[in-house]
Each structure stands twice: as C-alpha cells, then as structure tokens.
C-alpha cells in the first residue's frame, strides 16, 4: 500500500541521517511499527531476538488495543513523549496530536549519537507521524469515496433493472472496488426459512456445491442468520462456528440482507489474510447488503406481481369453467317455477346446484357443498358433478347413485375432504319429490296455512366412509308450495352482533315472500343475507335452489334467465 512505501522511505531517510552523524556499523537493525485501522504490520526488518512492545506486536501480528498500553510492565517500553534510550537501542515515538501512530526503533549504539542527531531524529519522528496520519486519513477518505461511488453505481442500476441475478453480480463486483476479497457470495434464505442458497459466488475454485447451500445455525453464515446479527471474524480458525469450505480463508465478514425486519439473505466475504477486515469494511459491506435488499425486494415484488397476474388469469379461467358447469338458465316447466343462486366466497367455490332432465315428466334437482373454499373445493365439486351425472345416466336408484358417488370420492379425495349433498327427482305431474340427503342442511317447505317445515332425516356425508349406505325419502309438493334447498353459507352468515342469520330467520323470510315468483324469493334471500352480514367480504359460498308449484298459466310465464349464477 502507499502507506507502507512511505514508511520505508522514511526509514531510509532516518538511516541516511544516522550515517551522517555516527558510524554506519553502529546501526544494526531498523524497525517501525504503524497503527492501522485494525492491526499492525511490519514495515522494515525485524529479527527474531528483538523484544519489547513493538516486536511483540509485529511478530505476532497482534491487534493494537488501548488496554495493552496500560500493561507496559509486560514489555520493555510503552508510549513515550520523546526519544527513549535502552542500552544500545534508540526509540523514536511517532506522535501526532494526542495519538501515537507508531514507533521508529533503531538498533545499535544509540549512545554514540550526538544531541544534534537526536534532535533531528525526534523531528523526523514527528514528520513521520504526520505522514502516517495523513496516509491513514487519505486511505479512509478514499475508501469512503469508493464506497459512495459503488453505492451510487449499484443504486442507479437497481432503479432501471428487475433482473435479480444481474443485480447481485453487479453488487459483488462493486464490492471488490471497496473491500478487497479472495472469495465472496450472496445467499438468499429459502421460503421455509431453514436454508440459505447461494445466488452468486466468487473465488471458490472447487467443491462449489459445498458452499452453495448453508443451513441456518451452521457455519458463520448460518450462525449470523440465526442470531440476526452481522459478523466480523479476524481469525476463522479460532472461531467455533466456522466450517471449512475454503482452505485458504483466514478472515471473514457476514452482513445480513433484511427486507424490513425480516432476514432474507446474507452477504459473505472471505480473505486469505488474518485481520484483513475492519469495522469500516463491515460498514461498506452492510451498505451494499442494504442495496442488495432493495434489489431482492424489487425482484420479489415483481415476481409476486407476475405470479399474482398469472394466478388472477388462472382463477378467471377456472371461474369461467366452473360457471359453465352450473345451469345457464332455469328450466321452463308447465306448472312450476324454479330458480337457482350460486355466489362463491372466492372466485372459485365449492358449492354446486343443478337441474337435470332425467326423463319426460321427471326433473332431477341437486345441491351440494364441498368442505373448504377456493380452487381445491372447486376441483372436488367438479369431480362430484361428473360422477353424479355419470351415475344418473346409468339409471341407478337415487340411493344407488349416492352409494356409487361416495365410493368414487373416497378413492379420489384426501382424508378430511367431504361433500354434503341432496339429489332427488321431481315428478312434475304428481309433485312427488324423491331424494337422498347426504349430511346436507334440511330442506325447507313453505305451505299456505301451515308453519314452515324443515324435512328432517339424512345420512352420512359423501367421501368419508367407503361402506356408507343411503336411504330414499319423499315429500309431495302441492299447489302454492315452495321448496327451498340451500347451503350453510346462507344460514350461517354472521351478523354485526355475532349472531348467525339462522334457519328460523330464513324460514320466516321465505314465508313472508311466498307470493313472489321463485326468482323473487331467491333475490330476497340474497339481499337479506347481504344486509344482515357484518362483513360481506368474508361470507362463505352461498347457494340456493327455489322450487315453487304454481298454476299452469303462472308456470308458463317463468323466464329462462333465472338461474341466478353470480
């Protein structure tokens, strides 16, 4: 470094000065030690038999610490305000201001030097200290300028690129201009928070896979991540957390990459020299780590935006497909009005209803509720619908249809996934509705002059028990009767006071509006639930089927657009 060369020049100047004032053979060894940012380094020759504070510091490459100054009795000398003479040795302290920057040690017959020579050497010591101080300040300023320049370079690039790999490579290259290293890497924390994976590496010549991943808590990188603190290690050999990944490494720094308060990665640099890094180096590393955090944050936000856009597109497609699985319109039947409602809590739901023409004069009606919400529930719903329609075409009895559908769901779904459902056939002439109830909420019948009636009786849910059996039941609908099939998303809607909408409130609502067409009853149910709900955005899937027996003239007036899918 520049400071080393300047020190050597000063030593040669001292030797030339001494030669002018004393015989050359009186000077056997010349030594200078210099305070650096973190450690002392030998500038001139130091023989093995040399002793004292300077020799001890240099030969062991020990870091200078203030508490050592207080233990001067352990060494031959300490901090001096002027020239020191010990036997044949002459010590010239390099003091500038209130700080000692080093010491010039001249081995030889110091007593043979004249007072004038000593005065000149003392002046030389002061000039040397000033030069060392200036070199030290210059190095610090130069490092700061390089650091600011590197940060500016990285910052301007971050604002114009979302390529994370390119940005991390740039950051690693910029670091070398500020903090020299022999090996370095940037690691990103996996989503499970258990491992760090190298996003980019430099200086690892072999066994690259050995350093490509680091487990949290193991090695210096993993330990720093676990502790949530940066590391500056002067000697990795003496550190109990160090795991050898590169034989030449002697010192290492780790700066964590944070996204807000959360750790998302780590910046690691290694040197082949012990005591290679200072706190200023760690400061620069942390500054670039913060830039890396911005790059990671921007890249993650961009990736999340792309994933969200992709998910939105897939959800829209799934929503369109699911809507096509539901009836496009309610059937137009003489003497009957029918309407359906399906409002999923998310874009894709797990509720289902259908009107199925089984044969002339017989209409199949079904409603189902899959456990869970969203796409998983929607997929199970599609499976249920396909198997139900397939078994209906095979002309099994209703209880046989449910038995077959149950067996299929048990084989094709995970444990804990189940379907509640009602499927039945309505004889349009007689009004007899024959059905099976697999764990679904009880159907509601509204009849003029009678109290609302929930038709009790049901069997086990579909998809949980392979040997489940189901029993057919029947009700007869008279003129003016209203049959309501619905899912628990309606009855369990939560109000502002923490109270559920409830089946009793629902029955009263339908009874109060029984004179309305089926579509009107459906619309009143939906409007009342929305008004009742404390937060409409957290409602469950809501599905309902309204069947009303009317006179032939009224039934003929029902409109085909009343399926009510939302």
């Amino acid at each position: 470094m520049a400071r080393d060369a300047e020190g050597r020049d000063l030593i040669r100047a001292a030797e030339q000065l001494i030669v002018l004032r004393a015989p050359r053979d009186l000077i056997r060894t010349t030594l200078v030690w210099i305070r650096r940012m973190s450690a002392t380094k030998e500038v001139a020759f130091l023989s093995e038999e040399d002793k004292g504070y300077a020799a001890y510091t240099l030969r062991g490459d020990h870091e200078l610490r203030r508490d050592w100054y207080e233990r001067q009795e352990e060494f031959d000398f300490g901090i001096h305000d002027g020239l020191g003479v010990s036997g044949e040795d002459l010590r010239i302290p390099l003091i500038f201001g209130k700080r000692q920057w080093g010491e010039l040690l001249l081995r030889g017959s110091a007593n043979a030097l004249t007072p004038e020579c000593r005065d000149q050497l003392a002046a030389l010591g002061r000039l040397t200290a000033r030069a060392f101080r200036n070199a030290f300040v210059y190095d610090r300023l130069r490092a700061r300028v390089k650091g600011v320049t590197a940060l500016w370079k990285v910052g301007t690039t971050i604002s114009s690129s979302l390529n994370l790999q390119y940005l991390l490579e740039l950051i690693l290259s910029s670091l070398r201009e500020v903090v020299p290293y022999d090996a370095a890497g940037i690691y990103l924390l996996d989503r499970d928070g258990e491992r760090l994976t190298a996003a980019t590496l430099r200086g690892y010549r072999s066994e690259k896979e050995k350093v490509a991943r680091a487990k949290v808590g193991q090695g210096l990188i993993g330990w720093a991540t676990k502790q949530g603190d940066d590391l500056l290690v002067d000697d990795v050999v003496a550190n109990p957390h160090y795991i050898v990944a590169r034989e030449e490494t002697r010192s290492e720094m780790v700066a964590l990459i944070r996204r807000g308060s959360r750790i998302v990665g780590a910046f690691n640099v290694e040197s082949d020299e012990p005591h290679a890094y200072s706190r200023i180096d760690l400061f620069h590393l942390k500054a670039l780590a913060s830039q890396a955090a911005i790059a990671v944050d921007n890249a993650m936000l961009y990736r999340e935006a792309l994933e969200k856009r992709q998910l939105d597109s897939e959800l829209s497609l799934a929503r369109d497909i699911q809507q096509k699985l539901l009836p496009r319109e309610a059937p137009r039947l003489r003497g009957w009005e029918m309407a359906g409602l399906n409002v999923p809590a998310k874009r894709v739901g797990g509720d289902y209803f259908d009107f199925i023409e089984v044969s002339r004069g017989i209409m199949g009606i079904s409603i189902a509720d899959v456990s869970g919400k969203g796409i998983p529930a929607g997929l199970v719903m599609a499976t249920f619908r396909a198997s139900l329609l397939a078994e209906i075409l095979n002309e099994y009895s209703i209880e046989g249809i449910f038995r077959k559908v149950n067996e299929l769901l048990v084989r094709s779904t995970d444990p804990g996934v189940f379907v509640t459902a009602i499927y039945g056939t309505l004889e349009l002439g007689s009004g007899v509705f024959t059905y099976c109830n697999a764990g679904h909420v009880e159907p509601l019948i509204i009849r003029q002059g009678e109290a609302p009636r929930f038709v009790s009786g049901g069997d086990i849910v579909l998809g949980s028990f392979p040997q489940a059996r189901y029993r057919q039941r029947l009700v007869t609908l008279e003129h003016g009767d209203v049959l309501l099939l619905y899912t628990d998303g309606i009855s369990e809607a939560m109000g502002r006071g923490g109270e559920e909408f409830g089946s009793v409130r629902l029955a009263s609502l339908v009874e109060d509006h029984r004179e309305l067409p089926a579509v009107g009853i459906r619309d009143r149910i939906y409007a009342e639930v929305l008004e009742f709900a404390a937060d409409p955005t957290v409602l469950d899937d809501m599905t309902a089927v309204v069947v009303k027996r009317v006179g032939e003239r009224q039934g003929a007036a029902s409109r085909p657009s009343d399926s009510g899918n939302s």
Side-chain angles (χ1 to χ4, degrees):
M1 294 179 62
R3 187 165 61 241
D4 295 345
E6 188 173 355
R8 296 181 189 279
D9 292 339
L10 290 168
I11 292 168
R12 284 195 292 272
E15 290 175 338
Q16 292 171 5
L17 180 61
I18 294 169
V19 169
L20 293 175
R21 302 298 182 184
R24 178 62 179 170
D25 58 1
L26 295 179
I27 305 300
R28 297 196 306 274
T29 305
T30 304
L31 164 70
V32 65
W33 58 266
I34 305 168
R35 175 192 292 275
R36 292 200 178 179
M37 286 181 283
S38 64
T40 57
K41 300 292 182 180
E42 181 178 357
V43 176
F45 176 78
L46 174 66
S47 61
E48 289 297 325
E49 65 272 13
D50 287 328
K51 299 178 180 180
Y53 182 72
Y56 173 81
T57 304
L58 288 172
R59 186 162 45 248
D61 198 21
H62 296 287
E63 183 176 353
L64 289 174
R65 301 184 185 276
R66 290 184 179 179
D67 60 337
W68 287 8
Y69 300 159
E70 301 172 359
R71 297 161 37 219
Q72 298 176 11
E73 65 276 3
E74 299 181 23
F75 308 102
D76 292 343
F77 63 93
I79 302 297
H80 301 286
D81 294 327
L83 296 183
V85 178
S86 175
E88 297 181 344
D89 299 339
L90 178 66
R91 300 175 176 84
I92 306 173
L94 308 181
I95 300 175
F96 183 83
K98 296 182 179 181
R99 185 175 185 180
Q100 181 165 352
W101 296 86
E103 185 166 288
L104 183 63
L105 174 62
L106 302 179
R107 290 287 199 195
S109 299
N111 293 326
L113 298 177
T114 66
E116 181 183 3
C117 180
R118 293 187 182 187
D119 290 342
Q120 291 177 340
L121 287 173
L124 178 63
R126 290 191 292 272
L127 291 175
T128 303
R130 179 190 290 270
F132 286 152
R133 193 288 303 253
N134 292 342
F136 177 77
V137 172
Y138 172 75
D139 280 351
R140 293 191 67 172
L141 289 176
R142 182 173 60 179
R144 288 184 180 181
V145 170
K146 285 185 176 182
V148 171
T149 302
L151 290 174
W152 175 84
K153 180 180 179 181
V154 172
T156 55
T157 307
I158 286 176
S159 63
S160 60
S161 176
L162 291 171
N163 187 325
L164 180 60
Q165 189 63 39
Y166 168 74
L167 290 173
L168 295 181
E169 291 284 353
L170 173 65
I171 291 171
L172 213 53
S173 298
S174 301
L175 175 65
R176 191 184 290 275
E177 301 175 11
V178 185
V179 181
Y181 59 80
D182 294 300
I186 299 178
Y187 293 77
L188 298 180
L189 194 63
D190 292 350
R191 289 188 175 181
D192 59 7
E194 295 295 327
R195 288 188 175 276
L196 291 145
T197 302
T200 179
L201 292 171
R202 299 277 181 88
Y204 297 94
R205 292 182 294 275
S206 62
E207 297 186 67
K208 202 168 186 176
E209 66 280 357
K210 188 175 182 180
V211 294
R213 291 178 67 83
K215 189 173 182 180
V216 172
Q218 295 182 359
L220 292 179
I221 303 172
W223 177 252
T225 303
K226 182 178 180 179
Q227 297 300 310
D229 200 6
D230 308 304
L231 284 181
L232 172 59
V233 180
D234 292 327
D235 186 358
V236 296
V237 177
N239 192 290
H241 302 293
Y242 179 69
I243 296 176
V244 179
R246 185 175 174 275
E247 295 292 340
E248 302 89 343
T249 297
R250 287 296 175 267
S251 53
E252 189 168 344
M253 287 192 298
V254 180
L256 299 178
I257 302 173
R258 291 179 171 88
R259 190 182 183 194
S261 60
R262 184 167 60 89
I263 297 173
V264 297
F267 213 138
N268 181 68
V269 296
E270 303 177 21
S271 173
D272 296 349
E273 298 293 331
H275 300 274
Y277 299 120
S278 68
R279 295 184 183 276
I280 294 178
D281 295 324
L282 182 60
F283 171 81
H284 289 308
L285 185 65
K286 290 166 65 174
L288 283 172
S290 67
Q291 294 286 54
I294 296 174
V296 171
D297 194 40
N298 290 344
M300 285 184 173
L301 289 174
Y302 178 65
R303 184 175 63 187
E304 288 170 2
L306 290 180
E307 291 176 350
K308 185 178 183 301
R309 185 182 304 173
Q310 178 69 20
L311 180 60
D312 287 344
S313 176
E314 293 175 356
L315 286 174
S316 296
L317 178 60
R319 169 70 173 164
D320 292 342
I321 293 174
Q322 187 176 58
Q323 288 300 300
K324 291 178 181 179
L325 300 180
L326 300 174
R328 294 185 179 181
E329 59 184 31
R332 300 181 62 181
L333 303 170
R334 189 180 301 274
W336 296 90
E337 290 180 351
M338 298 184 184
L341 170 72
N342 176 256
V343 182
K346 299 182 179 180
R347 291 194 184 184
V348 179
D351 283 5
Y352 164 72
F353 80 94
D354 207 350
F355 303 110
I356 308 157
E357 186 174 0
V358 178
S359 63
R360 186 177 181 83
I362 297 179
M363 177 62 62
I365 301 172
S366 67
I367 189 169
D369 183 0
V370 179
S371 60
K373 298 179 182 179
I375 292 179
L379 293 173
V380 176
M381 184 274 280
T383 302
F384 166 78
R385 175 185 180 274
S387 59
L388 177 66
L389 293 179
E391 298 305 328
I392 291 173
L393 291 175
N394 288 330
E395 298 184 3
Y396 285 101
S397 64
I398 295 175
E399 56 189 12
I401 291 172
F402 264 27
R403 187 174 64 253
K404 292 286 188 180
V405 170
N406 177 68
E407 292 173 356
L408 175 67
L409 291 176
V410 169
R411 293 195 304 268
S412 60
T413 60
D414 293 332
V417 176
F418 60 88
V419 179
T420 68
I422 291 177
Y423 170 69
T425 56
L426 176 63
E427 296 179 10
L428 301 179
S430 64
V432 174
F433 181 58
T434 306
Y435 69 96
C436 280
N437 184 342
H440 201 75
V441 292
E442 297 172 342
L444 171 65
I445 295 179
I446 302 295
R447 178 168 292 165
Q448 186 176 10
E450 297 182 8
R453 177 166 63 98
F454 289 95
V455 183
S456 61
D459 300 306
I460 195 69
V461 297
L462 300 167
S464 293
F465 302 96
Q467 304 300 323
R469 292 293 180 265
Y470 301 90
R471 185 164 60 92
Q472 293 183 178
R473 295 170 174 83
L474 61 87
V475 295
T476 301
L477 301 179
E478 301 176 359
H479 290 281
D481 286 355
V482 176
L483 171 66
L484 176 66
L485 308 179
Y486 61 96
T487 60
D488 58 13
I490 293 176
S491 59
E492 295 179 0
M494 195 66 66
R496 293 171 179 80
E499 180 185 3
E500 290 185 350
F501 190 79
S503 57
V504 174
R505 192 191 311 269
L506 178 62
S508 178
L509 171 64
V510 177
E511 184 179 29
D512 290 345
H513 297 89
R514 58 179 297 273
E515 298 299 331
L516 292 176
V519 173
I521 296 173
R522 177 203 68 190
D523 292 344
R524 289 307 307 168
I525 293 173
Y526 183 54
E528 290 288 338
V529 172
L530 286 184
E531 184 178 352
F532 175 84
D535 185 358
T537 61
V538 297
L539 289 172
D540 197 358
D541 298 338
M542 293 192 298
T543 300
V545 174
V546 180
V547 179
K548 184 176 182 180
R549 189 171 188 181
V550 298
E552 291 186 3
R553 183 174 299 177
Q554 287 179 289
S558 62
R559 309 176 75 175
S561 59
D562 294 339
S563 62
N565 299 335
S566 298

